[in-house]
Amino acid sequence: MKAYIIKKYTKDGLQLADVPMPKAGDNDVLVEVHSASLNLLDSKIKKGEFKLLLPYKFPLILGHDVAGIVTQVGKKVSKFKVGDEVYSRVQDFRIGTFAEYIAINESDVALKPKNLTMEESASIPLVALTAWQALVENANLKKGQKVFIQAGSGGVGTIAIQLAKYFGATVATTASTKSFELLKSLGADVVIDYKTQDFETMLKDYDVVLNSQDNKTLEKSISILKPGGKVISISGPPTPEFANEIGLPWYLKIVLSLLSLGIRKKAKKQHVDFFFLFMRANGSQLDKITQLIEADVIKPVIDKIYTFEQTPDALKYVESGRAKGKVVIKVK
Protein backbone atom coordinates (compact mmCIF):
# COMPACT_ATOMS: atom_id res chain seq x y z
CA MET A 1 0.00 0.00 0.00
CA LYS A 2 1.01 3.65 -0.30
CA ALA A 3 1.92 5.59 2.84
CA TYR A 4 3.80 8.73 3.87
CA ILE A 5 6.84 7.88 5.98
CA ILE A 6 9.85 9.39 7.71
CA LYS A 7 13.09 7.39 7.95
CA LYS A 8 14.51 9.47 10.83
CA TYR A 9 13.58 12.50 12.93
CA THR A 10 13.65 15.41 10.52
CA LYS A 11 12.54 18.96 9.77
CA ASP A 12 12.13 17.96 6.13
CA GLY A 13 8.93 16.75 4.49
CA LEU A 14 7.27 13.34 4.34
CA GLN A 15 8.21 10.70 1.78
CA LEU A 16 5.68 8.69 -0.21
CA ALA A 17 6.56 4.99 -0.13
CA ASP A 18 5.23 1.50 -0.86
CA VAL A 19 4.97 -0.36 2.44
CA PRO A 20 3.53 -3.74 3.47
CA MET A 21 -0.18 -3.91 4.33
CA PRO A 22 -0.75 -3.89 8.11
CA LYS A 23 -1.90 -7.15 9.69
CA ALA A 24 -4.93 -7.13 11.97
CA GLY A 25 -4.31 -8.88 15.30
CA ASP A 26 -6.98 -10.80 17.24
CA ASN A 27 -8.34 -7.61 18.84
CA ASP A 28 -7.89 -5.37 15.81
CA VAL A 29 -9.98 -4.06 12.96
CA LEU A 30 -8.33 -3.36 9.61
CA VAL A 31 -9.60 -0.02 8.31
CA GLU A 32 -9.47 1.22 4.74
CA VAL A 33 -8.55 4.87 5.28
CA HIS A 34 -10.95 7.28 3.57
CA SER A 35 -9.75 10.39 5.37
CA ALA A 36 -7.18 11.45 7.96
CA SER A 37 -6.56 14.71 9.74
CA LEU A 38 -3.30 16.37 10.68
CA ASN A 39 -2.29 17.67 14.09
CA LEU A 40 0.66 19.66 15.40
CA LEU A 41 1.53 16.45 17.27
CA ASP A 42 2.45 14.87 13.91
CA SER A 43 4.92 17.68 13.25
CA LYS A 44 6.39 17.49 16.76
CA ILE A 45 6.91 13.74 16.46
CA LYS A 46 8.48 14.17 13.00
CA LYS A 47 11.01 16.64 14.43
CA GLY A 48 11.82 14.37 17.40
CA GLU A 49 10.35 16.62 20.10
CA PHE A 50 8.83 13.60 21.89
CA LYS A 51 11.61 11.08 21.32
CA LEU A 52 12.30 10.69 25.05
CA LEU A 53 8.63 10.07 25.85
CA LEU A 54 7.68 8.19 22.67
CA PRO A 55 10.69 6.32 21.26
CA TYR A 56 9.39 5.34 17.80
CA LYS A 57 11.02 2.91 15.40
CA PHE A 58 11.69 3.79 11.77
CA PRO A 59 10.49 3.90 9.08
CA LEU A 60 7.50 5.57 10.72
CA ILE A 61 4.10 6.39 9.22
CA LEU A 62 2.66 9.49 10.89
CA GLY A 63 -1.01 10.29 11.48
CA HIS A 64 -3.25 9.90 14.55
CA ASP A 65 -6.78 10.54 13.24
CA VAL A 66 -8.73 8.38 10.80
CA ALA A 67 -12.17 7.81 9.32
CA GLY A 68 -12.80 4.85 7.07
CA ILE A 69 -14.41 1.45 6.51
CA VAL A 70 -13.67 -1.81 8.32
CA THR A 71 -12.40 -4.39 5.80
CA GLN A 72 -11.32 -7.15 8.20
CA VAL A 73 -11.86 -8.02 11.89
CA GLY A 74 -9.68 -10.04 14.27
CA LYS A 75 -11.15 -13.22 15.74
CA LYS A 76 -11.71 -11.66 19.19
CA VAL A 77 -13.36 -8.48 17.88
CA SER A 78 -16.97 -8.18 19.11
CA LYS A 79 -18.02 -4.55 18.52
CA PHE A 80 -17.42 -4.15 14.79
CA LYS A 81 -18.04 -5.98 11.54
CA VAL A 82 -16.76 -5.71 7.97
CA GLY A 83 -18.40 -2.73 6.24
CA ASP A 84 -18.80 -0.56 9.37
CA GLU A 85 -17.98 3.12 8.90
CA VAL A 86 -15.71 4.05 11.82
CA TYR A 87 -13.38 6.71 13.14
CA SER A 88 -10.56 6.73 15.68
CA ARG A 89 -7.62 8.41 17.32
CA VAL A 90 -5.21 5.48 17.25
CA GLN A 91 -2.88 4.51 20.11
CA ASP A 92 0.46 6.29 20.38
CA PHE A 93 2.63 3.37 19.31
CA ARG A 94 0.24 2.33 16.54
CA ILE A 95 -0.01 5.61 14.64
CA GLY A 96 0.04 5.59 10.85
CA THR A 97 -3.12 7.08 9.34
CA PHE A 98 -1.28 8.82 6.46
CA ALA A 99 -1.71 5.57 4.56
CA GLU A 100 -4.27 3.54 2.61
CA TYR A 101 -4.91 1.07 5.46
CA ILE A 102 -4.35 0.85 9.21
CA ALA A 103 -4.93 -1.84 11.86
CA ILE A 104 -6.45 -0.45 15.08
CA ASN A 105 -7.34 -2.05 18.42
CA GLU A 106 -11.13 -2.18 18.59
CA SER A 107 -11.11 -0.43 22.01
CA ASP A 108 -9.87 2.76 20.28
CA VAL A 109 -12.54 2.76 17.57
CA ALA A 110 -16.10 4.17 17.41
CA LEU A 111 -18.80 4.12 14.77
CA LYS A 112 -18.57 7.27 12.63
CA PRO A 113 -21.21 9.94 13.33
CA LYS A 114 -24.09 9.38 10.89
CA ASN A 115 -24.47 13.09 10.16
CA LEU A 116 -20.82 13.71 9.18
CA THR A 117 -18.81 13.02 6.05
CA MET A 118 -15.61 10.97 6.22
CA GLU A 119 -13.57 14.20 6.05
CA GLU A 120 -15.55 15.82 8.88
CA SER A 121 -15.31 12.65 10.99
CA ALA A 122 -11.54 12.42 10.54
CA SER A 123 -11.18 15.97 11.88
CA ILE A 124 -12.70 15.07 15.24
CA PRO A 125 -11.02 12.31 17.32
CA LEU A 126 -7.74 13.73 18.68
CA VAL A 127 -9.03 17.25 19.35
CA ALA A 128 -12.39 16.16 20.75
CA LEU A 129 -10.82 13.54 23.03
CA THR A 130 -8.33 16.18 24.22
CA ALA A 131 -11.18 18.56 25.05
CA TRP A 132 -13.19 15.76 26.72
CA GLN A 133 -10.27 14.48 28.83
CA ALA A 134 -9.40 18.04 29.89
CA LEU A 135 -12.85 19.47 30.64
CA VAL A 136 -14.99 16.46 31.52
CA GLU A 137 -12.69 13.75 32.86
CA ASN A 138 -10.16 16.04 34.53
CA ALA A 139 -11.81 19.36 35.39
CA ASN A 140 -15.28 17.85 35.93
CA LEU A 141 -16.67 21.05 34.42
CA LYS A 142 -20.03 22.12 35.84
CA LYS A 143 -22.81 24.51 34.90
CA GLY A 144 -22.06 28.08 35.94
CA GLN A 145 -18.28 27.67 36.07
CA LYS A 146 -15.91 29.91 34.11
CA VAL A 147 -13.36 28.40 31.74
CA PHE A 148 -10.57 30.08 29.77
CA ILE A 149 -9.69 28.18 26.56
CA GLN A 150 -6.58 29.56 24.88
CA ALA A 151 -6.23 29.78 21.09
CA GLY A 152 -9.94 29.27 20.45
CA SER A 153 -9.65 29.05 16.66
CA GLY A 154 -7.29 26.04 16.75
CA GLY A 155 -8.37 22.40 16.42
CA VAL A 156 -8.73 21.77 20.16
CA GLY A 157 -10.11 25.25 20.86
CA THR A 158 -13.01 25.07 18.40
CA ILE A 159 -14.25 21.79 19.93
CA ALA A 160 -13.47 22.70 23.57
CA ILE A 161 -15.56 25.90 23.32
CA GLN A 162 -18.59 23.95 22.08
CA LEU A 163 -18.14 21.26 24.75
CA ALA A 164 -17.77 23.80 27.59
CA LYS A 165 -20.92 25.64 26.43
CA TYR A 166 -22.84 22.34 26.38
CA PHE A 167 -21.93 21.84 30.05
CA GLY A 168 -23.20 25.33 30.86
CA ALA A 169 -19.88 27.11 31.44
CA THR A 170 -18.99 30.72 30.66
CA VAL A 171 -16.20 30.60 28.07
CA ALA A 172 -13.40 33.09 27.45
CA THR A 173 -10.86 32.59 24.67
CA THR A 174 -8.03 34.29 22.76
CA ALA A 175 -7.70 34.73 19.00
CA SER A 176 -6.93 37.27 16.31
CA THR A 177 -9.81 39.59 15.37
CA LYS A 178 -10.49 37.77 12.09
CA SER A 179 -11.60 34.71 14.10
CA PHE A 180 -13.95 36.57 16.47
CA GLU A 181 -17.10 35.90 14.46
CA LEU A 182 -16.39 32.17 14.21
CA LEU A 183 -15.68 31.86 17.94
CA LYS A 184 -18.81 33.73 18.96
CA SER A 185 -20.84 31.46 16.67
CA LEU A 186 -19.34 28.46 18.53
CA GLY A 187 -20.49 29.94 21.85
CA ALA A 188 -17.53 31.92 23.22
CA ASP A 189 -18.76 34.60 25.67
CA VAL A 190 -15.53 36.62 25.95
CA VAL A 191 -13.16 36.86 22.98
CA ILE A 192 -9.80 38.55 23.58
CA ASP A 193 -7.46 39.81 20.84
CA TYR A 194 -4.15 38.26 21.82
CA LYS A 195 -2.25 40.80 19.69
CA THR A 196 -3.52 43.94 21.47
CA GLN A 197 -5.07 42.80 24.77
CA ASP A 198 -3.70 41.08 27.88
CA PHE A 199 -6.04 38.34 29.07
CA GLU A 200 -4.51 38.37 32.56
CA THR A 201 -5.80 41.92 33.14
CA MET A 202 -9.28 41.13 31.75
CA LEU A 203 -10.12 37.80 33.40
CA LYS A 204 -10.33 36.86 37.07
CA ASP A 205 -11.81 34.23 39.37
CA TYR A 206 -11.90 31.54 36.70
CA ASP A 207 -12.44 27.88 37.61
CA VAL A 208 -10.55 26.20 34.77
CA VAL A 209 -7.85 27.11 32.24
CA LEU A 210 -7.09 24.93 29.20
CA ASN A 211 -3.54 25.96 28.31
CA SER A 212 -2.11 25.19 24.87
CA GLN A 213 0.51 27.92 24.64
CA ASP A 214 4.02 28.58 25.99
CA ASN A 215 5.22 28.64 29.61
CA LYS A 216 4.93 32.44 29.84
CA THR A 217 1.22 32.24 28.96
CA LEU A 218 0.84 29.33 31.38
CA GLU A 219 2.27 31.40 34.25
CA LYS A 220 -0.07 34.30 33.45
CA SER A 221 -3.00 31.85 33.36
CA ILE A 222 -2.40 30.77 36.95
CA SER A 223 -3.06 34.34 38.11
CA ILE A 224 -6.62 34.41 36.68
CA LEU A 225 -7.76 31.32 38.58
CA LYS A 226 -9.69 31.39 41.85
CA PRO A 227 -8.25 29.38 44.79
CA GLY A 228 -9.06 25.72 44.15
CA GLY A 229 -9.10 26.33 40.39
CA LYS A 230 -7.36 24.10 37.89
CA VAL A 231 -5.00 24.74 34.99
CA ILE A 232 -4.76 21.86 32.53
CA SER A 233 -1.90 22.17 30.06
CA ILE A 234 -1.69 20.19 26.83
CA SER A 235 1.58 21.87 25.81
CA GLY A 236 3.71 21.08 28.86
CA PRO A 237 5.71 21.07 30.93
CA PRO A 238 5.19 17.36 31.75
CA THR A 239 4.99 16.43 35.46
CA PRO A 240 6.41 13.60 37.61
CA GLU A 241 2.85 12.16 37.83
CA PHE A 242 2.76 11.92 34.04
CA ALA A 243 6.17 10.22 34.08
CA ASN A 244 4.80 7.62 36.53
CA GLU A 245 1.66 7.16 34.48
CA ILE A 246 3.53 6.20 31.30
CA GLY A 247 6.24 4.26 33.18
CA LEU A 248 9.30 6.34 32.34
CA PRO A 249 12.70 5.38 33.84
CA TRP A 250 13.81 7.15 37.06
CA TYR A 251 16.24 9.54 35.36
CA LEU A 252 13.49 10.87 33.04
CA LYS A 253 11.20 11.30 36.05
CA ILE A 254 13.87 13.55 37.56
CA VAL A 255 14.17 15.54 34.29
CA LEU A 256 10.38 16.08 34.07
CA SER A 257 10.24 16.96 37.76
CA LEU A 258 12.82 19.71 37.21
CA LEU A 259 11.14 20.94 34.01
CA SER A 260 7.79 21.47 35.74
CA LEU A 261 9.11 22.54 39.17
CA GLY A 262 8.66 26.30 38.64
CA ILE A 263 5.08 25.99 37.40
CA ARG A 264 4.10 23.53 40.13
CA LYS A 265 5.52 25.87 42.82
CA LYS A 266 3.68 28.87 41.38
CA ALA A 267 0.41 26.93 41.20
CA LYS A 268 0.79 25.74 44.81
CA LYS A 269 1.47 29.28 45.99
CA GLN A 270 -1.76 30.47 44.32
CA HIS A 271 -3.68 27.44 45.75
CA VAL A 272 -4.52 26.08 42.30
CA ASP A 273 -3.95 22.66 40.72
CA PHE A 274 -1.63 22.19 37.75
CA PHE A 275 -2.16 19.14 35.54
CA PHE A 276 -0.30 18.11 32.37
CA LEU A 277 -2.53 16.25 29.91
CA PHE A 278 -1.13 14.02 27.18
CA MET A 279 -4.34 12.78 25.64
CA ARG A 280 -4.88 9.10 24.95
CA ALA A 281 -6.94 6.99 22.57
CA ASN A 282 -10.35 5.99 23.97
CA GLY A 283 -13.15 4.48 21.89
CA SER A 284 -15.83 4.64 24.61
CA GLN A 285 -15.24 8.38 25.13
CA LEU A 286 -15.43 8.78 21.35
CA ASP A 287 -18.85 7.06 21.47
CA LYS A 288 -20.05 9.79 23.86
CA ILE A 289 -18.64 12.48 21.58
CA THR A 290 -20.48 10.85 18.65
CA GLN A 291 -23.77 11.22 20.54
CA LEU A 292 -23.10 14.96 20.99
CA ILE A 293 -22.22 15.33 17.30
CA GLU A 294 -25.39 13.50 16.21
CA ALA A 295 -27.40 15.76 18.54
CA ASP A 296 -25.83 18.82 16.81
CA VAL A 297 -24.11 19.90 20.05
CA ILE A 298 -20.63 19.70 18.49
CA LYS A 299 -19.88 20.62 14.88
CA PRO A 300 -16.52 20.08 13.18
CA VAL A 301 -14.61 23.14 12.03
CA ILE A 302 -12.48 22.42 8.94
CA ASP A 303 -10.11 24.90 7.35
CA LYS A 304 -8.84 22.99 4.31
CA ILE A 305 -9.13 19.57 2.71
CA TYR A 306 -6.13 18.29 0.72
CA THR A 307 -5.76 15.25 -1.52
CA PHE A 308 -3.65 12.29 -0.35
CA GLU A 309 -0.93 13.36 -2.79
CA GLN A 310 -0.82 16.78 -1.09
CA THR A 311 -0.20 15.35 2.42
CA PRO A 312 3.27 17.01 2.76
CA ASP A 313 1.73 20.40 1.83
CA ALA A 314 -1.08 19.85 4.33
CA LEU A 315 1.45 19.23 7.12
CA LYS A 316 3.35 22.39 6.16
CA TYR A 317 0.10 24.35 6.39
CA VAL A 318 -0.57 22.94 9.90
CA GLU A 319 2.98 23.91 10.89
CA SER A 320 2.35 27.50 9.68
CA GLY A 321 -0.13 28.00 12.56
CA ARG A 322 -2.64 29.72 10.25
CA ALA A 323 -5.31 27.01 10.23
CA LYS A 324 -8.74 27.78 11.70
CA GLY A 325 -10.00 24.47 13.01
CA LYS A 326 -8.68 21.33 11.34
CA VAL A 327 -6.76 20.35 8.20
CA VAL A 328 -7.80 17.10 6.57
CA ILE A 329 -6.52 14.79 3.83
CA LYS A 330 -8.92 12.86 1.59
CA VAL A 331 -7.30 9.50 0.97
CA LYS A 332 -10.16 7.81 -0.90
Side-chain angles (χ1 to χ4, degrees):
M1 68 167 184
K2 295 260 187 284
Y4 279 94
I5 64 165
I6 55 169
K7 292 180 178 173
K8 60 176 184 180
Y9 292 121
T10 176
K11 288 181 179 172
D12 297 335
L14 306 170
Q15 293 175 270
L16 185 61
D18 284 306
V19 299
M21 280 276 288
K23 289 184 172 67
D26 289 353
N27 298 299
D28 296 343
V29 292
L30 184 67
V31 175
E32 180 184 53
V33 178
H34 280 235
S35 206
S37 75
L38 302 97
N39 298 281
L40 263 180
L41 180 59
D42 296 305
S43 173
K44 289 179 176 181
I45 287 171
K46 178 172 76 76
K47 292 172 186 168
E49 288 181 32
F50 287 113
K51 62 186 173 189
L52 287 178
L53 305 181
L54 300 170
Y56 283 108
K57 292 177 181 152
F58 298 100
L60 175 65
I61 306 170
L62 292 170
H64 294 75
D65 282 324
V66 63
I69 294 177
V70 174
T71 59
Q72 192 185 327
V73 295
K75 61 185 179 192
K76 291 183 181 170
V77 169
S78 59
K79 294 197 297 192
F80 302 98
K81 62 184 188 305
V82 170
D84 280 346
E85 296 190 342
V86 296
Y87 71 149
S88 175
R89 188 284 198 202
V90 298
Q91 278 173 30
D92 286 323
F93 286 108
R94 301 193 61 179
I95 64 172
T97 64
F98 302 165
E100 293 178 309
Y101 288 86
I102 185 166
I104 317 169
N105 188 295
E106 74 164 334
S107 65
D108 303 327
V109 180
L111 290 172
K112 175 185 90 60
K114 293 185 183 75
N115 56 338
L116 296 189
T117 64
M118 286 289 186
E119 292 77 48
E120 288 170 330
S121 299
S123 77
I124 291 282
L126 184 141
V127 292
L129 285 168
T130 301
W132 184 278
Q133 287 166 21
L135 301 178
V136 182
E137 182 179 75
N138 209 282
N140 193 19
L141 196 63
K142 293 183 176 65
K143 188 176 181 177
Q145 288 189 318
K146 296 197 293 185
V147 58
F148 173 44
I149 294 163
Q150 292 162 9
S153 64
V156 172
T158 51
I159 301 295
I161 289 168
Q162 296 177 74
L163 191 61
K165 287 310 291 180
Y166 170 70
F167 282 101
T170 297
V171 178
T173 191
T174 47
S176 62
T177 49
K178 59 179 184 282
S179 300
F180 278 21
E181 204 175 314
L182 166 69
L183 299 180
K184 284 175 180 168
S185 76
L186 297 177
D189 301 286
V190 181
V191 188
I192 297 162
D193 180 1
Y194 74 89
K195 291 177 180 172
T196 62
Q197 295 173 300
D198 298 319
F199 72 82
E200 68 273 22
T201 62
M202 299 173 67
L203 308 175
K204 67 173 188 178
D205 290 335
Y206 269 62
D207 298 282
V208 180
V209 171
L210 178 51
N211 173 71
S212 56
Q213 305 301 295
D214 56 18
N215 273 12
K216 196 174 165 190
T217 309
L218 176 56
E219 286 185 22
K220 289 176 183 175
S221 300
I222 289 171
S223 67
I224 72 161
L225 286 163
K226 61 168 69 162
K230 192 162 204 175
V231 57
I232 298 161
S233 179
I234 58 173
S235 56
T239 57
E241 291 80 9
F242 168 71
N244 284 331
E245 205 179 291
I246 65 166
L248 290 180
W250 63 269
Y251 55 90
L252 285 181
K253 287 178 189 174
I254 292 169
V255 170
L256 295 198
S257 184
L258 291 170
L259 278 177
S260 60
L261 185 62
I263 289 294
R264 288 185 290 120
K265 273 186 173 174
K266 190 175 172 70
K268 196 174 181 182
K269 196 176 172 187
Q270 300 276 352
H271 305 288
V272 302
D273 288 329
F274 169 67
F275 184 83
F276 170 68
L277 173 68
F278 196 85
M279 67 76 59
R280 63 194 191 284
N282 190 313
S284 57
Q285 287 180 350
L286 207 49
D287 281 332
K288 291 172 185 168
I289 290 159
T290 303
Q291 289 169 20
L292 295 181
I293 292 167
E294 291 181 345
D296 279 332
V297 170
I298 291 174
K299 293 178 172 63
V301 178
I302 293 178
D303 186 316
K304 285 188 181 181
I305 297 175
Y306 288 82
T307 64
F308 185 52
E309 292 71 30
Q310 295 171 315
T311 301
D313 297 329
L315 190 57
K316 276 182 197 155
Y317 182 57
V318 169
E319 288 170 341
S320 77
R322 297 196 308 273
K324 302 281 170 277
K326 289 300 296 287
V327 177
V328 176
I329 53 171
K330 188 177 169 69
V331 180
K332 197 170 174 65

